[in-house]
Amino acid sequence: MDDRAAFLAAHDVSRETLARLDTVIATLDDWRTRSNLIGPKEWPQIWTRHVGDSAQLLDRIPDTARVVDLGSGAGFPGLILAAARPAGHVTMIESIGKKCAFLRAAISAADLPAEVWQGRVEAAPPIAASYVTARAFAPLPALMNYAAPWLLKGATGVFPKGERWKEELTSAQQKWSFAYQAIPSRIGGGGVILIVREAAHRHG
């Protein structure tokens, strides 16, 4: 079974969503060597690892949600969420120009309900979103600070985290109080999808 077929065996996606995902991945394939988006060793598992890891966030985000994705890079999870949620909207924040150019090319090619804001996350203008995501962007203590403009207004954080997530969680709880849920990652490796709600700064 090839990588794409393995992804499809594990995820129930509509024909329309798959067409958009195929366009996104074809665009990424076209851009990846010139923009250092995905390493050559990672490419053979692009569907099961990167698309699959991103797709498991869909269970936690409503169809019509407005999402902000921090440090979007090669578009995981931002492009995948937009491809699967045509009634929603994703704003991707990315500081590197070449990566922004790729993200915009993929959005255009697949006709996705998404936009890109180029710049550092901490300099972003107010962006309306009820969900905030980030994948492989920063450890949780720093990520909470980056996501604070949305979390403190009641947005829900949906963050894929690796096997050391408990250490990151303990560290983040020293500066923040929040409700959380840790959902085991379907791609294994001891990682989780960390759902963060009701975030507030700890005082003292």
Side-chain angles (χ1 to χ4, degrees):
M1 187 184 294
D2 72 7
D3 188 53
R4 181 175 175 274
F7 165 80
L8 291 174
H11 297 271
D12 183 22
V13 298
S14 71
R15 200 167 62 240
E16 295 81 8
T17 293
L18 181 57
R20 288 188 289 269
L21 290 174
D22 278 334
T23 301
V24 166
I25 298 306
T27 308
L28 178 57
D29 194 17
D30 185 40
W31 279 71
R32 66 189 169 106
T33 48
R34 43 195 166 128
S35 302
N36 195 25
L37 290 161
I38 289 282
K41 289 182 181 174
E42 294 179 81
W43 187 252
Q45 292 89 41
I46 192 71
W47 282 93
T48 47
R49 243 200 96 81
H50 296 280
V51 182
D53 195 27
S54 302
Q56 52 183 342
L57 274 59
L58 293 166
D59 293 343
R60 309 293 155 187
I61 298 174
D63 290 4
T64 57
R66 295 187 71 85
V67 179
V68 61
D69 182 41
L70 311 181
S72 296
F76 303 104
L79 290 175
I80 308 310
L81 298 178
R85 291 281 186 263
H89 187 274
V90 180
T91 301
M92 288 170 256
I93 300 178
E94 171 57 50
S95 62
I96 297 170
K98 279 185 178 179
K99 292 181 179 178
C100 289
F102 156 70
L103 292 169
R104 291 189 179 111
I107 289 167
S108 176
D111 193 21
L112 303 181
E115 62 188 331
V116 180
W117 187 84
Q118 182 175 345
R120 295 176 64 83
V121 170
E122 57 269 40
I127 296 166
S130 51
Y131 286 80
V132 55
T133 62
R135 180 175 181 261
F137 177 57
L140 190 62
L143 182 54
M144 294 291 291
N145 293 332
Y146 286 124
W150 297 277
L151 295 176
L152 293 173
K153 289 182 179 175
T156 298
V158 184
F159 305 132
K161 281 286 158 193
E163 62 183 350
R164 299 182 66 176
W165 67 271
K166 288 182 182 175
E167 293 171 42
E168 293 187 28
L169 184 71
T170 301
S171 183
Q173 286 170 326
Q174 293 171 10
K175 299 272 181 76
W176 291 85
S177 70
F178 50 89
Y180 75 91
Q181 185 182 5
I183 298 145
S185 172
R186 280 184 282 188
I187 64 165
V192 298
I193 307 299
L194 201 61
I195 312 295
V196 173
R197 296 187 176 92
E198 300 164 32
H201 288 293
R202 285 195 189 279
H203 296 291

